[in-house]
Amino acid sequence: MSDKVFIFDTTLRDGEQVPGCQLNTKEKVEIAKQLELLGVDVIEAGFPISSPGDFESVVAISKAVKYPIICSLTRAVQKDIDVAVDSLRYAKRKRIHTGIGASDYHIKYKFNSTREKIIERGVAAVKYAKKFVEDVEFYAEDAGRADNAFLAQMIEAMIAAGATVVNIPDTTGYCLPEDYGAKIRYLKEHVSNIDRAIISCHCHNDLGMATANTIAGIQNGARQVEVTMNGIGERAGNTALEEVAMILNTHKHLPYHTNLNTKRIYPLSLLVSKMMRMPIQPNKAIVGRNAFAHSSGIHQDGVIKHRESYEIMDPEDVGIASNSIVLTARSGRNALNYHLRRLGYQLNKEELAEAYQKFLLLADSKKDLADEDLIIMMEGKLISTKIKLKHLQVICGEPLKPLASVELEIDGQSYLESETGVGPINAAFRAVDKIIKEVINVEEFLMQALTQSSRDTGKVHIRIRHNETDYHGFAVHEDTIVASVTAYLDAINKISKFKRVFLKQQSDLPLAIL
Ligand code: KIV
Ligand code: ZN
């Protein structure tokens, strides 16, 4: 058996089922093109019977993408298959993914049927799809909870009917890695025609075991994995592409290989997160903002001396420029020196000791320190004064044009501006920009309700970008617009330029109003 593991990406189908993450056709095509460059083998482009938008997207992706197989999902229903065939008419390489429930929960309660009749329906669907395409994948939904002997019988019948790939989904994310692995092994050993098909793993993450189950599947004979970027998907999500890719890459003793150019992982992860408006949790394996960030003194020291002391992967292998030695109040002298040297400061022992004392003061008042802060620390004296929100008023509604008046206090003085915008938050941000005389790039904006009632408190997380550095702002307020503006100012206040800065060669006016 070959050790190549085929990557079947379902970001645009299972991933897109997440509420609030729907993409339009143009966005899906953009992601599909990037998936092609990443080197995935199969793109599941949609479930075309489900909506005209899904149909249109499969057609557009089929036209835009050349190398990966384009796959359309169906139920074991002729009409679904007809529509899927139509959606794939421009695909250079095409696959139909059809299937039906395999567990007794699905057979009894979803289909009100019997095991025998379910197999008949599955076989009929595979045979029907086979009339139109050579490559037919069969999914045995909820296989994770299905009886292994029945599952083997079902899979054998589907391969005999022409299935080229057999998908064994742990639809509910129930399995333990050992049990999922044993299920795949059972099929390898009990399905007489199994060598005529590829076994595929499709695991959900309800108990946080999707990746572990997928790896167990590979180790027991599966050679296709169904994954999504950032692990997005229904409920707790699907197996994360980046995790499987890097597990196979990092454990060099494993014989398996993929076609992926892993250096494209991080840029694509950011693109998916941005387009789907789904922020990546900071501690997410491989692609989280902290995945390669070392902040404790001991770890920083270890990484500076020898990267592998605390890093099992090279961040560059996933497309992240370098590991980040994050400077916080817990960082040691060695980490500070590392950054100062990078910025061109060569200090002797005494100078470093002096700089370190200044650094500790600075780090106490500010969570993450950027290069600009260090430069100011070295070049001048820094007094931290904040830009504060004094007053905010918005007018919005339908058909009114949203208008915001913002009054800020900077260094004891008040500044008032009004602006219009596409919505009240945008209008308020534009008014702030007018006061600080700078158009700030908002890269990420997330508002969450703390509880779940309409009289709730809004929590806002914002990420802005300035001079190629990211700054994060947070705020909580019952008024969501106040929360948004306060979070915006929180981020802006972290940009050194907007602190009251006394540089040796400059006046003592805050740079923000120079
Ligand atoms: O989780 C699942 O069972 C699925 C199938 C439709 C493949 O997504
Ligand atoms: Zn699924």
Side-chain angles (χ1 to χ4, degrees):
M1 185 174 33
S2 156
D3 285 329
K4 154 121 197 226
V5 174
F6 292 91
I7 304 291
F8 175 114
D9 183 276
T10 184
T11 306
L12 299 174
R13 200 279 298 170
D14 226 350
E16 215 241 354
Q17 285 176 212
V18 178
C21 286
Q22 277 62 43
L23 300 174
N24 60 36
T25 298
K26 196 164 160 262
E27 291 167 326
K28 286 191 189 172
V29 167
E30 195 175 334
I31 291 179
K33 284 182 174 166
Q34 294 305 319
L35 286 168
E36 177 169 40
L37 292 172
L38 174 65
V40 306
D41 300 284
V42 186
I43 296 176
E44 188 164 45
F47 180 18
I49 191 99
S50 68
S51 73
D54 247 42
F55 179 87
E56 191 198 317
S57 299
V58 181
V59 173
I61 292 169
S62 300
K63 285 182 184 167
V65 162
K66 198 164 165 195
Y67 298 107
I69 294 168
I70 305 300
C71 179
S72 255
L73 183 77
T74 80
R75 294 165 299 179
V77 172
Q78 281 200 3
K79 177 80 186 130
D80 284 27
I81 296 171
D82 290 336
V83 174
V85 170
D86 195 16
S87 72
L88 290 171
R89 61 187 183 276
Y90 297 108
K92 286 101 206 148
R93 303 168 70 203
K94 49 187 92 173
R95 176 182 296 177
I96 289 187
H97 190 190
T98 190
I100 199 159
S103 70
D104 288 332
Y105 292 102
H106 280 230
I107 295 170
K108 276 191 201 147
Y109 304 115
K110 183 169 156 184
F111 295 103
N112 189 21
S113 189
T114 61
R115 289 180 171 187
E116 294 67 34
K117 285 191 183 136
I118 285 290
I119 292 190
E120 276 170 28
R121 275 183 68 173
V123 166
V126 171
K127 284 191 173 160
Y128 188 66
K130 201 74 184 175
K131 288 187 181 164
F132 307 100
V133 293
E134 175 43 40
D135 193 0
V136 176
E137 173 167 340
F138 174 80
Y139 64 85
E141 197 176 6
D142 202 17
R145 293 189 298 170
D147 169 60
N148 283 352
F150 170 66
L151 188 62
Q153 201 190 332
M154 181 183 225
I155 295 301
E156 189 162 297
M158 301 309 150
I159 296 173
T164 42
V165 181
V166 285
N167 177 9
I168 313 300
D170 183 19
T171 306
T172 55
Y174 171 75
C175 290
L176 293 169
E178 204 183 318
D179 296 341
Y180 188 76
K183 196 175 274 287
I184 302 296
R185 195 172 348 113
Y186 184 91
L187 295 176
K188 287 281 306 169
E189 288 166 1
H190 292 84
V191 173
S192 64
N193 51 8
I194 197 71
D195 291 339
R196 282 164 39 196
I198 292 174
I199 301 180
S200 185
C201 305
H202 178 116
C203 298
H204 279 264
N205 204 31
D206 298 65
L207 292 171
M209 292 190 290
T211 300
N213 285 342
T214 297
I215 297 296
I218 297 173
Q219 288 180 308
N220 284 282
R223 286 295 175 270
Q224 179 179 278
V225 292
E226 308 202 357
V227 291
T228 60
M229 278 314 299
N230 303 337
I232 59 165
E234 288 226 21
R235 308 183 308 279
N238 288 58
T239 306
L241 178 148
E242 63 277 10
E243 293 174 11
V244 175
M246 292 318 289
I247 289 169
L248 300 186
N249 254 30
T250 306
H251 287 269
K252 302 275 183 242
H253 66 282
L254 294 177
Y256 318 112
H257 61 273
T258 69
N259 199 30
L260 296 176
N261 174 0
T262 58
K263 287 194 178 2
R264 290 193 168 266
I265 286 179
Y266 188 60
L268 184 50
S269 155
L270 291 180
L271 182 74
V272 167
S273 160
K274 191 169 141 199
M275 281 194 175
M276 294 201 162
R277 293 164 289 278
M278 182 92 169
I280 305 167
Q281 74 192 62
N283 58 330
K284 167 78 188 64
I286 322 288
V287 292
R289 124 166 76 90
N290 293 345
F292 295 96
H294 304 279
S295 66
S296 88
I298 297 174
H299 285 210
Q300 291 184 337
D301 194 48
V303 169
I304 290 166
K305 284 181 179 142
H306 186 69
R307 189 181 63 76
E308 278 93 346
S309 311
Y310 285 99
E311 265 180 15
I312 56 167
M313 290 169 268
D314 186 339
E316 288 184 10
D317 285 348
V318 293
I320 297 176
S322 71
N323 63 17
S324 43
I325 305 286
V326 186
L327 286 177
T328 68
R330 279 176 292 133
S331 303
R333 265 162 234 244
N334 220 352
L336 176 65
N337 201 24
Y338 166 84
H339 280 286
L340 290 178
R341 265 191 284 128
R342 200 172 48 74
L343 295 171
Y345 296 98
Q346 303 288 345
L347 306 188
N348 63 31
K349 217 172 158 196
E350 288 72 40
E351 286 166 335
L352 180 62
E354 196 187 321
Y356 189 63
Q357 289 316 311
K358 279 197 215 164
F359 160 78
L360 287 179
L361 284 177
L362 185 60
D364 256 353
S365 66
K366 204 165 183 255
K367 283 210 175 86
D368 300 318
L369 295 178
D371 288 353
E372 284 170 320
D373 297 302
L374 294 184
I375 294 170
I376 287 164
M377 179 186 91
M378 296 305 292
E379 300 295 331
K381 194 160 71 130
L382 186 139
I383 299 174
S384 159
T385 51
K386 302 266 179 197
I387 303 174
K388 288 191 197 118
L389 179 64
K390 267 188 91 177
H391 182 77
L392 168 71
Q393 190 174 330
V394 291
I395 303 173
C396 60
E398 195 55 54
L400 292 175
K401 181 139 186 88
L403 173 73
S405 298
V406 174
E407 189 177 357
L408 300 181
E409 186 187 303
I410 307 173
D411 199 35
Q413 285 193 48
S414 290
Y415 301 84
L416 177 69
E417 284 292 355
S418 297
E419 259 298 353
T420 56
V422 288
I425 296 176
N426 177 248
F429 284 13
R430 281 163 50 89
V432 169
D433 290 357
K434 214 168 172 182
I435 296 174
I436 64 170
K437 294 187 172 54
E438 181 111 21
V439 179
I440 299 287
N441 237 347
V442 177
E443 297 280 317
E444 195 177 316
F445 179 91
L446 175 71
M447 187 184 292
Q448 283 170 304
L450 280 187
T451 59
Q452 275 168 1
S453 81
S454 60
R455 301 195 52 197
D456 208 338
T457 300
K459 187 170 106 187
V460 174
H461 167 208
I462 197 165
R463 179 164 59 91
I464 61 172
R465 198 155 176 78
H466 184 263
N467 280 351
E468 294 179 22
T469 307
D470 284 340
Y471 300 89
H472 296 262
F474 301 92
V476 178
H477 201 279
E478 308 82 62
D479 181 323
T480 51
I481 302 178
V482 174
S484 307
V485 176
T486 313
Y488 192 47
L489 291 176
D490 185 39
I492 290 172
N493 271 312
K494 290 174 183 155
I495 305 175
S496 305
K497 180 177 172 185
F498 294 109
K499 285 178 171 294
R500 179 178 165 79
V501 177
F502 296 89
L503 290 181
K504 279 175 200 149
Q505 67 276 30
Q506 285 185 335
S507 80
D508 63 356
L509 276 177
L511 293 182
I513 53 165
L514 276 179

